[in-house]
Amino acid sequence: MAYHLDKIDIEILKMLQKDSNRTTKSIAAQLDMSTSPIFERIKKLEKEGYIKKYVAVLDNKKIGLKLTVFIGITLQGHTRSYLEKFVKEINNFPEVVECHRVSGNFDYLLKLVVEDIEAYETFIITKLTLLPYLGNVQSLITLSTGKETNEIDLSSVL
Amino acid sequence: MAYHLDKIDIEILKMLQKDSNRTTKSIAAQLDMSTSPIFERIKKLEKEGYIKKYVAVLDNKKIGLKLTVFIGITLQGHTRSYLEKFVKEINNFPEVVECHRVSGNFDYLLKLVVEDIEAYETFIITKLTLLPYLGNVQSLITLSTGKETNEIDLSSVL
DNA sequence: ATTTAATAAAGAATAATATCCTTTTAAAAT
DNA sequence: ATTTTAAAAGGATATTATTCTTTATTAAAT
């Protein structure tokens, strides 16, 4: 039987996806509760998989990875085994942070984070175009980013 | 004068962007150091902005947000003030997790996380299409996601 | 309505970690 | 060689996470 999120769980998730270093004490204070139920709820949310992990969010640009690129890709073949192989290969490329199979004008949409245009081109030449069955490839180079977060909208849940 | 990252800093960042709940003790052990320099380095990485924040990564689907959509948008006008207004409006939409100004076939690329197709359509009708100067709008509906992370490739840095 | 059972919260005690401070080491510069 | 600087080590303290026990609340059953 599946565990169901209640209003308090949602509030906890909202806080933790904004700042996971919040202490149980501070969360408890905000929700007018004691620390134990907060602690237990968080543990349950982790165990049940609602919280997948805790990570540090880095400043890409400051660290030297100044370029984000989206790449739309169409494939020439669409056999199941090939699609799986394609995704598997893509997963080995550390520059690729996202890979989505999509409907619409492309088969796949990739998101890359790299140092600069040169690193991008190197990726295309030495990695991407070596994959077989590659069809059309169209890149969207990011000029500026107006919003970039991982925070999902929990207000619509429940 | 800017602070410069050395090999140890990079190693710390690698660990923390995989799992920010690692204790300084555990990081220190892995790097064969004592806890104090690790602690001080982390504080410096935070203060200098290399680490922007710590967040919990949630399981979108499990929580009920089952659909990711990318939307390519072209605008009819391109005055500076309008572009700024556009981004500002977009920032108020909690469904939108990313908004990039791009070169290529679109002016903007958005990433949305919503409950389902219905929520997506509601967004389009009640929010997106109300924005003025909107040109072409093209959606890529995610069918499946082969990779989705925030981990950037630090092996290329330094 | 009353009792029972089950669940969640509260409160207190302990263990582990973060945080701070002082000392030591190592490296660089004079 | 000596001085100066920065980083690391080591230890002490304050917070927090974690565990356990008790209390309260709710729902179910009689």
Side-chain angles (χ1 to χ4, degrees):
Chain A
M1 184 183 56
Y3 176 64
H4 251 211
L5 300 177
D6 65 13
K7 198 174 296 182
I8 295 173
D9 293 319
I10 295 293
E11 287 307 313
I12 293 172
L13 291 175
K14 277 186 190 172
M15 294 185 213
L16 290 180
Q17 73 169 344
K18 273 190 190 304
D19 175 9
S20 61
N21 277 357
R22 289 281 299 264
T23 61
T24 59
K25 192 176 173 183
S26 128
I27 294 172
Q30 186 170 334
L31 298 179
D32 237 321
M33 296 169 71
S34 66
T35 65
S36 340
I38 301 298
F39 176 79
E40 279 159 12
R41 279 168 180 269
I42 291 173
K43 286 306 153 195
K44 190 181 287 189
L45 291 168
E46 291 167 358
K47 177 162 294 180
E48 301 279 336
Y50 293 98
I51 295 173
K52 291 203 283 189
K53 56 182 174 177
Y54 298 94
V55 303
V57 177
L58 310 184
D59 188 323
N60 301 354
K61 288 189 182 170
K62 193 154 195 172
I63 288 172
L65 302 179
K66 302 195 197 313
L67 184 63
T68 297
V69 184
F70 291 89
I71 307 181
I73 296 174
T74 55
L75 297 181
Q76 290 178 340
H78 290 93
T79 70
R80 184 192 183 89
S81 78
Y82 179 63
L83 296 184
E84 283 169 1
K85 207 175 299 175
F86 177 79
V87 170
K88 201 170 182 179
E89 292 288 339
I90 290 293
N91 259 277
N92 290 329
F93 300 149
E95 305 92 330
V96 178
V97 295
E98 297 186 32
C99 168
H100 306 271
R101 176 133 172 72
V102 295
S103 76
N105 281 332
F106 301 110
D107 292 324
Y108 284 95
L109 182 67
L110 310 184
K111 180 183 179 183
L112 270 71
V113 175
V114 292
E115 293 172 85
D116 49 29
I117 283 281
E118 199 183 320
Y120 158 70
E121 207 188 348
T122 299
F123 171 82
I124 296 287
I125 294 173
T126 70
K127 294 185 175 175
L128 188 65
T129 56
L130 297 189
L131 298 178
Y133 291 103
L134 208 65
N136 185 35
V137 172
Q138 183 178 312
S139 294
L140 299 173
I141 306 283
T142 294
L143 304 173
S144 68
T145 293
K147 181 174 190 177
E148 188 167 32
T149 178
N150 210 30
E151 258 181 72
I152 60 177
D153 178 27
L154 296 179
S155 66
S156 60
V157 182
L158 265 194
Chain B
M1 183 182 56
Y3 175 63
H4 251 210
L5 301 177
D6 65 13
K7 198 173 298 184
I8 296 173
D9 292 319
I10 296 292
E11 288 306 314
I12 293 172
L13 291 176
K14 277 186 191 172
M15 294 185 214
L16 289 180
Q17 75 168 343
K18 272 191 190 304
D19 175 9
S20 62
N21 276 358
R22 289 281 300 264
T23 61
T24 60
K25 192 176 173 183
S26 128
I27 294 172
Q30 186 169 335
L31 297 178
D32 237 322
M33 295 171 70
S34 66
T35 65
S36 339
I38 301 299
F39 176 77
E40 278 159 13
R41 279 168 181 269
I42 291 173
K43 287 304 154 197
K44 190 182 287 189
L45 291 168
E46 292 167 356
K47 176 162 295 180
E48 302 278 337
Y50 293 98
I51 296 172
K52 292 201 283 190
K53 56 182 174 176
Y54 298 94
V55 303
V57 177
L58 310 184
D59 187 323
N60 301 355
K61 288 190 182 170
K62 195 154 195 171
I63 289 172
L65 303 179
K66 301 195 196 319
L67 184 63
T68 297
V69 184
F70 290 90
I71 307 180
I73 297 174
T74 55
L75 298 181
Q76 290 179 340
H78 290 93
T79 69
R80 183 191 185 89
S81 78
Y82 179 64
L83 295 184
E84 282 169 0
K85 208 175 299 174
F86 178 79
V87 171
K88 200 168 181 180
E89 292 288 339
I90 290 294
N91 259 279
N92 289 330
F93 300 149
E95 305 92 330
V96 178
V97 295
E98 297 186 30
C99 167
H100 306 271
R101 176 132 171 74
V102 296
S103 77
N105 281 332
F106 301 109
D107 292 323
Y108 284 95
L109 182 67
L110 309 185
K111 179 183 179 183
L112 269 72
V113 176
V114 292
E115 293 172 85
D116 49 29
I117 283 281
E118 198 182 321
Y120 157 71
E121 206 188 348
T122 301
F123 171 81
I124 296 288
I125 295 173
T126 68
K127 294 185 175 176
L128 188 64
T129 56
L130 296 189
L131 297 177
Y133 290 104
L134 209 64
N136 185 35
V137 171
Q138 182 179 312
S139 293
L140 300 173
I141 307 284
T142 294
L143 304 173
S144 69
T145 293
K147 182 174 190 177
E148 188 166 33
T149 178
N150 210 29
E151 258 181 72
I152 60 177
D153 178 26
L154 296 178
S155 66
S156 60
V157 182
L158 265 195

